Amino acid sequence: MIKTKEEINGMRIAGQLAAEVLEMITPFVVPGISTEELDQRCHDYIVNTQNAIPANVGYKGYEKTVCSSVNQVICHGIPNKNKILKNDDIINIDVTVLKDGWHGDTSKMFTVGKSKPHNERLVRVTQECLYKAIEVVKPGAFLGDIGNAIQTHAESNHYSVVEEYCGHGIGKIYHDEPQILHYGQPGTGLEIKEGMCFTIEPMINLGTKYTKTLSDGWTVETQDGRNSAQWEHTLAVTEAGCEVLTRRKEERF
Ligand code: MF3
Ligand code: CO
Ligand code: CO
């Protein structure tokens, strides 16, 4: 579970490639595009420009490069040529790049066209949940501190935290131990140690926290049909705090 400086170098390269996929796709996320086209552009970029591997392809039978989760879809939305983005949609694009045996896993939200304030606010507060969680990561803190930071910020904004899906250890294995819960009590759970690498990927709902999975076996939606947002980063724990391996240029930590 603890990685050396050299192993974290490999993770940094994979993480940067994943971040660059999200940067590349950003200008294409506009009304009228299909989620299938977004997926194909990400696939081509990873395979032909980055000379890397789209880790989602073939993962437990999944066939696409990204997950594209629109509006009430919480996670694992499957790109589809008939799913055309429209004004005021919100969409999460989640991508994992595999490079030299290391995984980089990240996602971001996009508001499509001009969004209504309630959607903008959900997207912004969910990103704040991720950032507040990142701020607590350092050796000697506990995994429960991460969950608590997310839950406190979400609930103080009258949103709910999805409990069935969580962040995860990551490295040569895509979904490794430990589980990183997005709710919890401070000072509980595993102690964080230098050299750990894991994702934090809170899913925050406007309404109920309860989920349902569609008959395609992948798409996870809110039970009440209200919108959901998610942001994800892959981190490495450093001596003093953490390094955000999937940081995009627009972000500063
Ligand atoms: N990237 C997702 C995560 O954050 C997992 C997607 S698995 C897939 O852990 F098969 F749906 F792509
Ligand atoms: Co993940
Ligand atoms: Co992901």
Side-chain angles (χ1 to χ4, degrees), residues 13-25 37-57 62-67 93-100 102-106 174:
I13 290 164
Q16 277 308 297
L17 292 174
E20 286 165 13
V21 175
L22 294 181
E23 291 173 340
M24 178 282 297
I25 203 65
E37 180 173 346
L38 294 171
D39 187 74
Q40 282 172 359
R41 286 184 179 277
C42 291
H43 187 273
D44 285 358
Y45 189 72
I46 294 167
V47 171
N48 299 320
T49 302
Q50 298 185 326
N51 296 114
I53 297 169
N56 288 338
V57 178
Y62 194 76
E63 293 179 350
K64 301 293 182 176
T65 292
V66 302
C67 297
I93 298 180
D94 189 338
V95 66
T96 301
V97 174
L98 177 60
K99 182 75 173 182
D100 299 332
W102 300 104
H103 291 85
D105 183 5
T106 186
Y174 185 175

Side-chain angles (χ1 to χ4, degrees), residues 55-67 75-78 94-96 105-107 166-168 170 174-175 199 201 203 218 230 232:
N56 288 338
V57 178
Y59 179 79
K60 295 188 175 173
Y62 194 76
E63 293 179 350
K64 301 293 182 176
T65 292
V66 302
C67 297
C75 62
H76 304 165
I78 305 172
D94 189 338
V95 66
T96 301
D105 183 5
T106 186
S107 77
C166 56
H168 47 92
I170 183 167
Y174 185 175
H175 291 105
T199 74
E201 47 184 297
M203 286 143 273
W218 283 103
Q230 178 179 30
E232 175 175 24

Side-chain angles (χ1 to χ4, degrees), residues 96 105 166-171 173-182 197-201 232 234:
T96 301
D105 183 5
C166 56
H168 47 92
I170 183 167
I173 298 171
Y174 185 175
H175 291 105
D176 204 352
E177 291 177 348
Q179 293 194 3
I180 310 295
L181 302 183
H182 302 122
C197 290
F198 54 82
T199 74
I200 305 178
E201 47 184 297
E232 175 175 24
T234 297

